[in-house]
Amino acid sequence: MPAFLSPPAVIHGEHTVKTSEIVTDVLGRHPDAAWAPRVESIAASTGIEARGWMLPLQAAVAPGGGNGLPAAGADATRAALAREGVTGPDADRVIAALEAIPAPQTVAERTAPAWAAVQEYGERAARGALQIAGLDASDIDCVITSNSTTPALPGLDVSLANRLPLRNDVLLLPATQWACIAGTRSLALAADLVAADPDRVVLVVISEALSTTYQPADDTLESLIVRLLFADTAVAAVVTGRPRPESVLRLDSAWNHTLPGTQDLHRLDTRADGTHFVMDRRGPRAVQETVTAMWAWLQERYGEDPEAWHPDVLLAHPGGTRVLEYMEQTMPEAWPSGLLEFSRDSYTSGNRGGAAVFDIMRRAYDAGQAPGSRAVLYAAAPGLTATALEGQWL
């Protein structure tokens, strides 16, 4: 370090999904769930009235192309019924009833259109970042990509190499499992790359269709919360080893932290009907531990006296409002209030996962963050693992 960052491009999901629509959907499917009487108050507590998705809500809740018949088909089902003594018209009625039952979408039915959207949005964000930085695709030496909810091989990196198009000798670094820390950890990696070669130009692209974790059949309280939180976003930015006229943020140092024994608190599970995000109620407290560790890192870096240094803006994606509140409660008393203004503003339209920090950064930039402002970027992700950076607005 240092590394220099141009303003990020942010492409929000173009399909607006209102919280009221989600409430209507879940109550229609799970009217007898234990949490059903509290759905509206739970939804209101998120503070999110609407979020943008790459695909419409109907794409998530539509039935699949199959039906209730076993995969072996009608003949095998008829044979099985015959072995149980069900034959003739009775068997016909059973098979007709099974054929009338809509099947949930399969992994392929759910993921394929989302993956197509992730690539399209990623390309748009990448082109936007290049335009903002005043560069062409031919100027890029390395591309770091992340997309956790639509796994594919080849991945987003290869897709962008063909879509932009990039030079044949560009270094491609896909990171499909970074999830919520993709924003901060990609910047930390990019800073290391340009420190090794200050003439290197790195393009970071994160494209997340978190709406693929919306699973209509799930009836747990945790799955309800997942459906209420997530938004779809693609972001991109250029990182260089030397300042450019377009540079707006200098990154000076990075910090990484992983909590042992927490790998099961939040995770993605792939099942027959698609990707499920599994939450654990212990998660926020574990994330709070990473916040405490980050404060210790900053204290060690800048001394015991809280007056010696403080950020002017804190671009933080901790995953939820509870941790934002914890950050405000535990930061040094001498620090100014309102450091999390842009983080809270971003969260009112959904949890953007790995794209969140770039979205928060863009909001600070659009608001006219003053040159010389000191910034801290922070994110935590399933693992539990966290990455933070600190630097200065240019």
Side-chain angles (χ1 to χ4, degrees):
M1 288 186 169
F4 300 89
L5 178 66
S6 296
V10 180
I11 311 295
H12 300 291
E14 295 177 350
H15 297 275
T16 299
V17 178
K18 297 179 180 179
T19 296
S20 59
E21 296 177 278
I22 294 175
V23 168
T24 298
D25 176 64
V26 297
L27 283 177
R29 296 174 188 277
H30 307 290
D32 299 321
W35 40 259
R38 298 184 290 127
V39 166
E40 292 189 1
S41 62
I42 293 171
S45 70
T46 67
I48 302 168
E49 294 186 358
R51 75 284 294 137
W53 283 4
M54 295 181 183
L55 299 172
L57 176 60
Q58 182 58 31
V61 301
N67 55 42
L69 273 177
D75 290 343
T77 302
R78 192 180 299 278
L81 289 170
R83 288 193 294 270
E84 298 298 323
V86 181
T87 59
D90 289 339
D92 293 339
R93 283 192 291 270
V94 170
I95 291 174
L98 290 172
E99 289 176 334
I101 298 173
Q105 296 181 54
T106 64
V107 173
E109 288 174 325
R110 189 66 187 277
T111 304
W115 169 232
V118 162
Q119 294 176 83
E120 177 197 346
Y121 274 70
E123 178 187 357
R124 289 167 57 191
R127 291 186 182 278
L130 291 172
Q131 183 178 13
I132 291 169
L135 297 171
D136 296 323
S138 60
D139 297 316
I140 300 301
D141 302 302
C142 174
V143 176
I144 302 172
T145 60
S146 184
N147 62 292
S148 300
T149 51
T150 48
L153 182 66
L156 182 59
D157 57 329
V158 175
S159 175
L160 292 173
N162 287 277
R163 285 168 174 258
L164 292 179
L166 301 172
R167 300 194 320 264
N168 293 342
D169 63 344
V170 167
L171 175 62
L172 303 177
L173 294 175
T176 60
Q177 294 174 318
W178 275 346
C180 295
I181 55 167
T184 52
R185 192 154 292 180
S186 62
L187 291 178
L189 175 57
D192 286 342
L193 290 169
V194 299
D197 180 359
D199 292 323
R200 182 178 282 151
V201 179
V202 179
L203 174 65
V204 175
V205 183
I206 304 163
S207 187
E208 288 286 19
L210 299 178
S211 58
T212 56
T213 63
Y214 190 107
Q215 295 297 343
D218 286 356
D219 63 356
T220 65
L221 176 61
E222 289 74 19
S223 69
L224 168 67
I225 294 172
V226 167
R227 277 177 277 199
L228 292 167
L229 294 185
F230 286 144
D232 296 347
T233 315
V235 296
V238 170
V239 181
T240 58
R242 306 184 194 280
R244 294 173 46 82
E246 299 81 5
S247 302
V248 295
L249 184 64
R250 187 189 70 233
L251 303 173
D252 294 323
S253 63
W255 165 88
N256 299 290
H257 190 77
T258 300
L259 294 175
T262 58
Q263 65 269 25
D264 292 329
L265 294 188
H266 296 322
R267 65 187 188 277
L268 282 179
D269 281 350
T270 300
R271 304 173 190 169
D273 58 349
T275 301
H276 296 245
F277 186 76
V278 181
M279 297 180 64
D280 190 296
R281 297 181 188 182
R282 297 170 296 167
R285 185 172 297 277
V287 175
Q288 290 171 6
E289 291 186 40
T290 71
V291 173
T292 302
M294 179 183 65
W295 294 153
W297 167 63
L298 291 172
Q299 185 179 60
E300 180 180 353
R301 182 168 173 78
Y302 288 100
E304 295 292 332
D305 183 2
E307 299 288 350
W309 183 91
H310 67 76
D312 298 297
V313 61
L314 181 53
L315 313 176
H317 173 62
T321 55
R322 284 174 58 188
V323 182
L324 286 173
E325 292 167 358
Y326 178 81
M327 295 181 83
E328 290 175 330
Q329 294 165 2
T330 58
M331 65 179 61
E333 292 184 4
W335 286 13
S337 61
L339 296 181
L340 290 165
E341 172 189 357
F342 301 111
S343 300
R344 287 190 175 279
D345 183 49
S346 175
Y347 200 77
T348 60
S349 51
N351 180 329
R352 293 177 170 80
V357 165
F358 279 37
D359 176 65
I360 298 166
M361 188 191 317
R362 181 72 205 198
R363 292 168 191 263
Y365 170 74
D366 289 342
Q369 196 67 33
S373 298
R374 294 159 293 190
V376 170
L377 292 68
Y378 162 87
L384 282 163
T385 183
T387 294
L389 305 102
E390 58 87 18
Q392 182 171 310
W393 223 265
L394 301 176

